[in-house]
């Protein structure tokens, strides 16, 4: 089944120019997700509490969700 491919321009804010590649790669990975999952991640990104939990507990969260 084919899909529709489109290009999107996004303004990326970085502290330094070396972050641009990492953010671009992360956004490209996210673009591969289905709309439902991407929408849920976008909703979580609006929550300061969710962001704090992700930053402070990422190894635990990743371990819990991996294999």
């Amino acid at each position: 089944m084919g899909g529709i491919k489109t290009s999107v321009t996004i303004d990326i804010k970085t502290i330094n120019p070396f972050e641009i590649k990492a953010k671009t790669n992360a956004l490209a990975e996210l673009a591969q997700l289905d709309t439902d999952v991407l929408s849920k991640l976008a909703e979580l990104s609006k929550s300061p509490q969710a962001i704090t939990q992700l930053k402070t507990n990422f190894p635990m969260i990743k371990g819990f969700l991996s294999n």
Side-chain angles (χ1 to χ4, degrees):
M1 211 184 258
I4 299 171
K5 183 176 179 179
T6 188
S7 295
V8 176
T9 301
I10 299 173
D11 293 328
I12 299 174
K13 297 178 185 178
T14 63
I15 296 171
N16 61 59
F18 303 108
E19 289 183 345
I20 294 171
K21 185 175 182 179
K23 285 190 172 190
T24 301
N25 289 340
L27 289 168
E29 289 290 324
L30 290 172
Q32 303 305 311
L33 297 173
D34 67 54
T35 304
D36 184 51
V37 173
L38 191 56
S39 295
K40 289 175 181 175
L41 287 172
E43 184 178 337
L44 287 175
S45 76
K46 296 173 188 173
S47 166
Q49 184 180 9
I51 292 169
T52 299
Q53 290 297 317
L54 187 60
K55 286 181 175 182
T56 58
N57 296 314
F58 183 71
M60 180 189 69
I61 295 167
K62 184 177 177 183
F64 178 73
L65 299 174
S66 297
N67 303 28

